[in-house]
Amino acid sequence: MTYGRLIRIAIISTLSIFALVIFFISGNHEWIEKNYATAFYPKLASTLRLIFGWFPFSLGDIIYSIVTISVLWQIGKFVVRLFHKTDSWRKKLTPLLTAGIILLAVYVYFYLFWGLNYYRKGIEHQLGLKNAKFAKEQLIGLNMFLLTELNNRKEICLKKKDTIMSRERMFQSARDGYSQLEQQFPYMRYRYSSLKPSMFGRVGNYIGFQGYYNPFTGEGQVNTAIPNFLQPYVTCHEMAHQIGYASESEANFVGFLAATHSSDTLMQYSSYLDMFMYAWGNLRAVDSTAAKEFGTKLHEGVKRDLKTYRKYVEDHRTFVSDWTDFLYDYYLKQNRQRKGIESYGEVTGWLIAYRKKYNK
Ligand SMILES: [Zn+2]
């Protein structure tokens, strides 16, 4: 056996053992919450942020690019060799095996460095909230609350002529929101900032992402090519992923808590707008007349922003975004988010439960 082959077997065996460990521990939510999500992971993530946060560009995006190019390169090599009649099957299949090893390594790294947070107990356990079914009256109450707060923030911002947020202010306000939030919920502590614009912003508009967490480097990425009024809330959502809330509805909820704990009105506006869109959408599904009524009560400035947002979505809708939506939906469903992409909207349930418990 050649030396190279021996190394390959050793790598595959080690990665497979790790993959098996991930598979078995992911079933024990209690263990994950206690030993991973609130013990090992926060230390690991803050260390990554400390090491990579100061780089002016996203190292994680570069790693993503290298991995993608390497896998595509190996697949390309395999296709070319398929047409080489003189090549043995072993030689033909070697690039596929290499691509498989790279993907297995990414899988293991991804779950060990962040993805196991999908299997934690999370908000329900920490805040004693239950994201259960809610009555229509509760949903109407939530819509009323969000609409009032939203209109109020818009009025204040327009009066101050404060409608655009610079990147620096956005990241600072988000950090301030988390510092305030930590006073109430110490486990939502965020240390060592690592927030960066995504290198794939314009492409991202067509793929359909507003931000993402980079588990390789702990960086929080914000797509700064989306409408400005969406970005502050997206920043808080990505920070929630950074501190270990992998579930999208929980990241939405924690992001909302942080944004509304910030003293920056524009940051608050951004989060109320996002939450209203979810709650309003839920209401539309059960009572379209009531939802229409809420639409007429929106501040003219909010209506303008919603129009901008709709135009942005329409302008970037392509067959690529339909495909990536389909794949992302599948990915989420495989990671304990039953409703796939629609699980983002489950934040409504958290908001109703939170308002009930804390009389907000
Ligand atoms: Zn997210």
Side-chain angles (χ1 to χ4, degrees):
M1 194 180 286
T2 62
Y3 186 61
R5 219 164 151 209
L6 209 63
I7 287 182
R8 255 167 198 257
I9 290 171
I11 292 174
I12 294 172
S13 311
T14 313
L15 289 174
S16 303
I17 290 168
F18 273 118
L20 275 175
V21 170
I22 289 166
F23 177 76
F24 283 113
I25 59 172
S26 64
N28 192 338
H29 308 315
E30 190 100 46
W31 191 92
I32 298 264
E33 182 69 29
K34 193 166 170 260
N35 300 295
Y36 180 83
T38 56
F40 170 74
Y41 174 76
K43 289 189 189 80
L44 168 79
S46 53
T47 308
L48 286 175
R49 293 200 293 276
L50 183 67
I51 298 171
F52 298 112
W54 63 273
F55 277 90
F57 53 87
S58 167
L59 277 177
D61 280 353
I62 292 172
I63 296 176
Y64 271 145
S65 308
I66 293 172
V67 168
T68 310
I69 292 168
S70 309
V71 171
L72 290 177
W73 177 256
Q74 294 300 331
I75 293 172
K77 234 160 123 178
F78 165 71
V79 174
V80 170
R81 284 185 191 177
L82 267 185
F83 295 98
H84 281 187
K85 286 197 177 106
T86 48
D87 285 351
S88 66
W89 272 103
R90 176 180 282 179
K91 196 176 174 188
K92 284 187 213 289
L93 289 171
T94 304
L96 268 196
L97 182 67
T98 309
I101 293 173
I102 296 171
L103 290 175
L104 184 60
V106 168
Y107 172 87
V108 166
Y109 191 100
F110 178 84
Y111 279 97
L112 286 184
F113 275 58
W114 183 71
L116 280 174
N117 284 313
Y118 279 120
Y119 301 91
R120 67 181 294 187
K121 296 183 98 179
I123 291 296
E124 183 175 324
H125 170 75
Q126 287 181 314
L127 269 77
L129 299 179
K130 193 117 193 95
N131 195 338
K133 272 197 174 150
F134 43 79
K136 195 172 95 180
E137 288 66 39
Q138 288 175 297
L139 186 57
I140 289 179
L142 177 67
N143 270 270
M144 188 71 87
F145 164 74
L146 293 171
L147 180 110
T148 311
E149 300 297 318
L150 181 62
N151 284 348
N152 165 283
R153 299 307 185 283
K154 190 71 198 177
E155 184 68 27
I156 297 171
C157 292
L158 286 178
K159 261 191 188 143
K160 287 197 287 185
K161 291 195 169 52
D162 184 22
T163 52
I164 298 287
M165 223 177 192
S166 72
R167 197 175 297 162
E168 292 70 29
R169 176 180 152 196
M170 185 165 80
F171 291 167
Q172 189 54 51
S173 292
R175 283 190 288 266
D176 292 345
Y178 272 92
S179 306
Q180 290 304 316
L181 184 61
E182 186 193 334
Q183 315 289 327
Q184 194 181 350
F185 304 117
Y187 37 82
M188 291 180 189
R189 175 186 156 109
Y190 182 98
R191 284 286 181 282
Y192 311 120
S193 177
S194 183
L195 296 164
K196 295 168 191 188
S198 167
M199 279 166 63
F200 314 120
R202 295 203 180 280
V203 182
N205 286 345
Y206 291 98
I207 297 174
F209 64 76
Q210 300 186 344
Y212 52 93
Y213 176 60
N214 224 315
F216 297 102
T217 51
E219 293 159 303
Q221 313 280 174
V222 179
N223 180 353
T224 46
I226 60 174
N228 186 269
F229 55 82
L230 297 172
Q231 294 175 31
Y233 174 68
V234 170
T235 306
C236 288
H237 173 103
E238 296 314 325
M239 289 166 86
H241 282 323
Q242 285 182 303
I243 58 170
Y245 296 95
S247 143
E248 294 302 342
S249 73
E250 293 189 16
N252 265 346
F253 178 61
V254 172
F256 167 76
L257 289 181
T260 47
H261 273 72
S262 147
S263 56
D264 191 325
T265 321
L266 208 47
M267 168 61 80
Q268 295 173 2
Y269 172 73
S270 179
S271 68
Y272 280 120
L273 181 69
D274 222 89
M275 293 304 106
F276 179 73
M277 285 199 277
Y278 287 120
W280 197 27
N282 287 334
L283 183 60
R284 203 176 297 124
V286 291
D287 188 343
S288 58
T289 320
K292 241 183 208 153
E293 181 97 14
F294 274 105
T296 61
K297 288 178 186 158
L298 282 168
H299 189 289
E300 285 306 315
V302 179
K303 282 185 191 167
R304 275 197 300 276
D305 285 346
L306 286 176
K307 211 171 153 192
T308 308
Y309 178 59
R310 272 186 220 114
K311 187 170 176 347
Y312 159 79
V313 173
E314 279 160 21
D315 288 352
H316 295 93
R317 195 170 186 98
T318 60
F319 74 95
V320 180
S321 54
D322 288 345
W323 263 100
T324 47
D325 277 1
F326 172 78
L327 289 174
Y328 186 49
D329 189 68
Y330 178 77
Y331 161 81
L332 289 175
K333 283 175 180 162
Q334 294 309 306
N335 283 291
R336 276 182 90 217
Q337 294 177 76
R338 232 173 3 97
K339 291 193 176 170
I341 285 184
E342 284 180 18
S343 65
Y344 281 80
E346 289 184 333
V347 67
T348 306
W350 292 124
L351 290 173
I352 288 175
Y354 177 75
R355 269 166 51 79
K356 196 173 163 198
K357 181 169 178 180
Y358 293 89
N359 290 322
K360 294 269 181 187

